[in-house]
Amino acid sequence: MQNQHTAPLAKAQLKTFSVRLGKIFSNLSIFTMILCLCGIMSFLSLAFIWIMGIVIIIFTVGTIFVIAPNFFSLLTAVSDFTANVAAFFAQNFYIFAAITLVCAIATLVLLALDKQTRHTGRIVTSSIVIGIALIAIVVFAAVV
């Protein structure tokens, strides 16, 4: 037999817990969305490093090799490191995207069920995160 005095308290605690869990999922979805975008941006950073290296060589009219004789080996070392980072994000892109979508959808459900407080900002942010994640999946699938 359940005590009547503790039943409403348990429901109130469950609602508070679900709102807190929704906020945690919101933050987690934003973080994993950033990791998804790092997967796309890491390839652009690799190209940016090479373009900047070529621009430095052109602007210094090749005197960079006198100032730093190992300039080209430094450029390739940085490119190798960036390529390893890009490969990591490319291999795990769909994992980050799935976590982003699941957390954003969970945020929408948990915060929409709260009737006492409106969480308009987090709900809109989660909707935007879902849109960006879906666009990133389409772009990444088209590139790879």
Side-chain angles (χ1 to χ4, degrees):
M1 182 181 267
Q2 186 177 7
N3 190 351
Q4 294 178 355
H5 298 291
T6 60
L9 183 60
K11 285 184 181 181
Q13 289 176 342
L14 182 63
K15 287 181 182 180
T16 304
F17 177 72
S18 66
V19 168
R20 176 65 64 189
L21 193 61
K23 290 178 181 180
I24 291 171
F25 281 144
S26 173
N27 295 334
L28 189 60
S29 69
I30 292 170
F31 176 71
T32 55
M33 181 196 63
I34 291 170
L35 291 177
C36 285
L37 296 179
C38 285
I40 295 172
M41 295 298 180
S42 60
F43 291 107
L44 296 176
S45 67
L46 183 62
F48 179 74
I49 288 170
W50 276 101
I51 289 171
M52 289 307 297
I54 292 170
V55 166
I56 289 171
I57 292 170
I58 291 172
F59 280 154
T60 61
V61 192
T63 58
I64 190 71
F65 294 114
V66 174
I67 298 168
N70 59 350
F71 177 74
F72 195 73
S73 63
L74 289 174
L75 186 64
T76 56
V78 170
S79 298
D80 289 340
F81 175 74
T82 306
N84 290 336
V85 171
F88 168 77
F89 282 118
Q91 289 171 352
N92 298 317
F93 175 78
Y94 289 112
I95 294 170
F96 294 139
I99 293 171
T100 300
L101 290 174
V102 167
C103 289
I105 291 170
T107 298
L108 286 176
V109 170
L110 290 172
L111 293 181
L113 292 176
D114 185 22
K115 301 297 181 194
Q116 296 171 350
T117 307
R118 296 197 183 267
H119 303 280
T120 309
R122 289 199 185 259
I123 290 173
V124 169
T125 302
S126 293
S127 301
I128 292 171
V129 165
I130 290 172
I132 291 172
L134 291 176
I135 290 170
I137 290 172
V138 169
V139 167
F140 192 78
V143 171
V144 175

